[in-house]
Every structure is written in structure tokens, then in C-alpha cells.
Amino acid sequence: MGNSSGVIIPKPFLIEIGSQPGDEVGLLVEDGRIIITLVRGAPRAGWAEDAKRIAENNDDALWCGRNSPMKTTAS
């Protein structure tokens, strides 16, 4: 992906977090450390159904639009 780099993770580390080669993991940078966590389940499960439901309810307007309750005007 783009300018990404790969990292080889030793098998004992994968076993420690309950992962296997090919499993999806999450990455987080915290205090100068890269934290790798096992993603349980599909991270985007249900998104398609939710998007369809939102569109059917005409609740898919952007919050930054002209009539957005989040929009402020300068006084």
C-alpha cells in the first residue's frame, strides 16, 4: 500500500496474541511504540446494511453542509 513497509513478526509473538499468519491486525502508535493487536471479527461487518438503512431513512446528509446543526457562523 503506497509507501508502506512490511514487518516480519516472529511466530512466538503471533502465538502470544492468539494470531496466525494471514490474520488481520490493528496498528496503533502510542508513546513512540507501535502496538499490534489481533482484530477479532470483521472490522467492517454490517457497514453495508447500515449504509442502506441510513440512505432509506434519508439520514445520509453530510454534517458539514449548509443546514448542518454542527455549522457555526461568525458573529
Side-chain angles (χ1 to χ4, degrees):
M1 228 192 291
N3 292 327
S4 299
S5 294
V7 176
I8 296 173
I9 302 171
K11 188 173 181 177
F13 287 13
L14 294 173
I15 292 170
E16 181 81 22
I17 66 169
S19 180
Q20 299 179 37
D23 283 351
E24 189 165 346
V25 295
L27 297 175
L28 174 69
V29 176
E30 188 176 284
D31 297 324
R33 297 175 292 148
I34 298 173
I35 300 170
I36 303 171
T37 55
L38 179 61
V39 173
R40 304 228 184 252
R44 292 180 183 86
W47 279 23
E49 294 83 7
D50 288 342
K52 183 178 178 181
R53 179 184 45 78
I54 290 168
E56 286 171 352
N57 292 323
N58 293 322
D59 194 22
D60 57 348
L62 292 176
W63 285 100
C64 58
R66 182 180 310 164
N67 297 320
S68 169
M70 302 285 291
K71 189 169 178 97
T72 60
T73 56
S75 309

